[in-house]
Amino acid sequence: MHYLDHAATTPIPRAVADRMYEVLTGQFGNPSAQYPLGRQAATLTEECRSTVAAAIGCKGDSLVFTSCGTESNNWAIRSALWHGRHTGKHIITTAVEHSAVLEPLKALAQEGYEVTYLKPDSRGNITAGQVFDALRDDTALVSVMLVNNETGCVFPVEEIARGLRQRKSRALLHCDAVQGFLKVPCAPNPWGVDLMSFSAHKVGGPKGIGALYVNPSLRNLRPLLFGGGQERGLRSGTEATAQIAGFAKAVELRRENLSEKLAHVDAIKACCLEKLLTIPGMEAVSDGAAPHILCMSLPGYPSANIVTDLGEQGICISAGSACHKGKASHVITAMGLPKRTAAGVIRISFGPETTEADIDALYEALKAHQANRFPML
Ligand code: PLP
């Protein structure tokens, strides 16, 4: 198999699975329980919290575990608006956020909030200036992702945070950093971001565990889940200790020689780009700076067919969220690409495990696909 879909999810290293198994079978206590097995689970949770938090340069008490990136985004958005309820009902976001941001905002629009969607340019980029131009006195929330999951574009979150401060805006800043974590610089505390979302399964951890960074200056954040008061009352529900341990182990492993790993991924991306561009008609759709995502198009060859055809040969790539039932994704649509280009968009995404042999297999399969199919007009 040639797995080239690391932006969708990542393989789990053996050490992560082993660590989870140890916790599942041997350290299975409930962290709220008052006997040693429970206290051991509570200690484990706090150690893991510190490990994950250290990867974004903050203390454990700024990080709350959630069930996934989607929950973190939903919670961040709802709680920021509750916090800013006296500021107003205006929200600024981008038209290219993940559906885990766009869908909760759609629901909020039905509840009377007004949402401004910033459009990207034709390469998928957004500028901080667009955010500042849209800012109003009643803006309660700005939500901008760190790395776009389809194009790999890195958005200027630090500059946005600085600009909001300079303008003395009362809006809270949320950032969906699910695709940026351990791929590009990410430092919510010094940047002055209020809320930042993470997910383990994009960095070699298990699915079903995420985290939300909460700036220590934010007091009385309103929970999304109410109940037994776990996570200092911020997120009720018995802690998923095995998932948490897997998250921490994955982060620990990923951080070992991280710059070498990222340089490798970057080199693989450059090699893949160069090689695929030799295929007649192939285009680079974006120049996204994230090292792990490459967004290309083979105009005239619908991406759904490419993905299925390659999948049958054991080559896993994605049409992104890029092609839902034959329709171009909201990201590609927002970029305003010509129809044939939009229909042919594929996302190839890499990890530390990716080799040149994977790229060679992809290249050969794409050439064969082109040779064996008639192009769409
Ligand atoms: N945000 C972005 C940018 C993503 O790419 C994803 C996952 O694809 C999510 C949020 C959702 O994360 P999770 O799968 O942990 O809910």
Side-chain angles (χ1 to χ4, degrees):
M1 186 180 65
H2 298 282
Y3 188 73
L4 291 163
D5 204 14
H6 291 252
T9 196
T10 52
I12 298 203
R14 181 63 196 244
V16 171
D18 285 349
R19 181 73 191 115
M20 291 178 70
Y21 183 76
E22 269 167 31
V23 175
L24 279 169
T25 53
Q27 301 171 40
F28 58 86
N30 185 324
S32 300
Q34 296 303 309
Y35 39 79
L37 189 69
R39 286 201 295 274
Q40 188 190 31
T43 306
L44 167 86
T45 304
E46 291 321 306
E47 284 168 1
C48 293
R49 195 189 309 283
S50 301
T51 302
V52 178
I56 48 165
C58 72
K59 296 242 170 67
D61 57 8
S62 308
L63 208 72
V64 183
F65 287 118
T66 62
S67 67
C68 56
T70 300
E71 182 189 326
S72 300
N73 284 345
N74 274 265
W75 178 25
I77 289 167
R78 286 271 168 192
S79 62
L81 293 173
W82 173 256
H83 186 274
R85 62 197 179 282
H86 303 303
T87 302
K89 291 196 144 195
H90 179 234
I91 302 165
I92 300 171
T93 190
T94 78
V96 295
E97 296 296 307
H98 191 271
S99 49
V101 164
L102 292 179
E103 290 300 317
L105 291 183
K106 209 198 269 178
L108 284 159
Q110 288 164 354
E111 293 169 28
Y113 286 86
E114 187 190 342
V115 188
T116 299
Y117 296 95
L118 305 176
K119 273 198 155 258
D121 65 16
S122 62
R123 304 297 282 172
N125 293 303
I126 297 275
T127 66
Q130 287 177 269
V131 173
F132 307 144
D133 288 346
L135 202 60
R136 310 190 319 210
D137 287 345
D138 65 341
T139 308
L141 169 67
V142 174
S143 182
V144 174
M145 70 204 316
L146 184 55
V147 169
N148 183 273
N149 48 298
E150 293 189 34
T151 60
C153 285
V154 182
F155 293 161
V157 174
E158 181 181 10
E159 193 186 341
I160 294 169
R162 197 179 326 118
L164 291 179
R165 268 199 313 280
Q166 282 163 353
R167 287 165 179 75
K168 300 199 174 9
S169 167
R170 294 189 340 154
L172 291 190
L173 176 60
H174 165 245
C175 172
D176 173 351
V178 166
Q179 289 290 347
F181 182 47
L182 297 178
K183 314 279 172 43
V184 300
C186 175
N189 204 351
W191 290 357
V193 172
D194 297 296
L195 298 155
M196 195 177 252
S197 306
F198 301 96
S199 179
H201 75 101
K202 310 291 184 183
V203 294
K207 295 162 193 59
I209 182 77
L212 184 68
Y213 162 84
V214 181
N215 193 297
S217 68
L218 270 182
R219 303 251 174 271
N220 302 324
L221 194 73
R222 189 178 166 88
L224 183 68
L225 298 187
F226 295 87
Q230 289 88 346
E231 297 287 279
R232 289 174 285 120
L234 289 171
R235 199 276 180 186
S236 288
T238 304
E239 296 85 345
T241 44
Q243 312 295 99
I244 289 171
F247 192 175
K249 189 71 193 175
V251 166
E252 193 186 305
L253 287 181
R254 219 13 110 95
R255 291 190 76 199
E256 278 171 17
N257 307 317
L258 181 62
S259 36
E260 280 90 337
K261 284 181 183 134
L262 291 176
H264 167 75
V265 172
D266 212 26
I268 285 280
K269 175 174 164 174
C271 156
C272 186
L273 176 65
E274 195 184 319
K275 208 149 190 174
L276 295 199
L277 283 177
T278 65
I279 297 175
M282 183 71 85
E283 291 173 16
V285 167
S286 162
D287 34 24
H292 65 304
I293 296 178
L294 183 58
C295 188
M296 307 286 291
S297 173
L298 196 52
Y301 295 86
S303 51
N305 295 345
I306 299 180
V307 171
T308 314
D309 194 6
L310 268 58
E312 276 159 17
Q313 301 166 58
I315 300 169
C316 306
I317 62 164
S318 177
S321 314
C323 195
H324 186 62
K325 295 194 179 127
K327 271 176 61 190
S329 79
H330 65 281
V331 176
I332 302 306
T333 306
M335 287 161 68
L337 298 177
K339 227 170 142 189
R340 279 176 97 243
T341 309
V345 170
I346 51 174
R347 178 188 71 182
I348 306 140
S349 52
F350 317 100
E353 304 87 351
T354 311
T355 63
E356 281 197 32
D358 295 321
I359 305 306
D360 291 342
L362 171 71
Y363 169 72
E364 294 301 336
L366 282 171
K367 272 202 322 189
H369 181 87
Q370 192 180 44
N372 296 330
R373 297 264 185 165
F374 288 113
M376 227 174 55
L377 289 177

